[in-house]
Amino acid sequence: MASNYKPVFFDMETTGFNPTVPSWYSNSQAARVTAVSIGEIIDWTEDGDERNMYTVANDGGMEYETIEKARDALLKIESDYADNGWEPFLVGHNIIKFDVMYWAARAARYRIDPNPVAGGWRRLDTLRALSIPADSEQGSSRYPGQQDYADYLGLDYKDELDGSDMPEAFKNGDYAKIKAHVEDDVSTLMDIFMLEREDMVDELWGHYDDGHEDEIDEPEPVFNESVNIDL
């Protein structure tokens, strides 16, 4: 199987769900990006063993530095891929309704270009590609959470915490806990992607090619020149 498209996995931790809460209103609930983890599966059309991970964790410093460093890492990947004739696409769980919007709002706060997270790259939201059948132990779910789906697949989710625990961890200065959590999320996301690769690729191609679904082994998937991205 050959493809010029390569997945880049993205997850971030924040201090809440609302990216517009200012510190002067409530410092404990103020919007912040506290950690970003970026993963690569270089040989994703093969066994998927060739992987890289890069994490930026805010250890109480300035939020804009976290965003800038993570963005720089993504742009470096884009440049490196271009040198090899590859095109990255961003992969995340519930990335459309949360990560992209939150990232765009926080980047705008510091006048940082939100691309390629909020534009530029094609995006795959794994939430939209997954479902748990009714006869499973977990019960039927059309849009399962990442941890629920990992349980369904029998994957070892090392971190028992979830995103709702991260604001308290940041408040308490448990930066190592946040870093471990975001890295585990991305590592598990990559495992899920490889196990459900066919459905993932169908979701990606279908979203950007007017509902047409190509098989994973399609050597040259064709996209429309002009696409409407549903944010």
Side-chain angles (χ1 to χ4, degrees), residues 115-209:
N115 292 336
V117 174
W121 292 8
R122 294 180 174 90
R123 296 188 294 266
L124 166 63
D125 191 335
T126 59
L127 177 68
R128 301 185 179 196
L130 301 175
S131 63
I132 298 176
D135 59 355
S136 70
E137 294 182 4
Q138 288 74 20
S140 176
S141 177
R142 176 64 183 86
Y143 300 110
Q146 181 174 306
Q147 188 162 357
D148 291 335
Y149 203 79
D151 290 341
Y152 163 67
L153 293 176
L155 295 174
D156 183 15
Y157 215 111
K158 302 178 182 63
D159 189 349
E160 296 181 356
L161 302 175
D162 60 36
S164 65
D165 298 307
M166 295 301 101
E168 187 69 18
F170 187 79
K171 179 182 177 181
N172 295 335
D174 294 331
Y175 308 125
K177 183 181 295 185
I178 297 172
K179 182 175 183 290
H181 176 74
V182 74
E183 289 180 341
D184 191 40
D185 270 357
V186 167
S187 178
T188 303
L189 181 64
M190 289 192 283
D191 288 341
I192 292 173
F193 179 90
M194 289 303 297
L195 289 171
E196 303 294 353
R197 190 170 44 174
E198 296 284 349
D199 289 341
M200 297 296 184
V201 171
D202 283 348
E203 175 65 29
L204 178 70
W205 293 174
H207 181 69
Y208 285 103
D209 199 24

Side-chain angles (χ1 to χ4, degrees), residues 204-213 222-224 226-227:
L204 178 70
W205 293 174
H207 181 69
Y208 285 103
D209 199 24
D210 196 26
H212 175 69
E213 296 184 354
V222 178
F223 293 86
N224 290 339
S226 176
V227 297

Side-chain angles (χ1 to χ4, degrees), residues 63-99:
E63 181 192 21
Y64 80 86
E65 293 178 348
T66 303
I67 296 173
E68 280 193 327
K69 287 180 180 179
R71 181 174 181 271
D72 287 347
L74 290 167
L75 293 179
K76 185 178 187 305
I77 289 172
E78 181 179 59
S79 177
D80 291 345
Y81 282 16
D83 290 342
N84 289 282
W86 303 335
E87 181 174 342
F89 62 93
L90 200 67
V91 182
H93 196 79
N94 197 28
I95 196 173
I96 299 298
K97 289 190 174 181
F98 181 71
D99 298 72

Side-chain angles (χ1 to χ4, degrees), residues 38-42 49-54 81 186 190:
I38 300 163
E40 300 175 87
I41 302 179
I42 306 301
D49 289 340
E50 187 178 350
R51 302 183 182 189
N52 300 320
M53 187 179 294
Y54 177 78
Y81 282 16
V186 167
M190 289 192 283

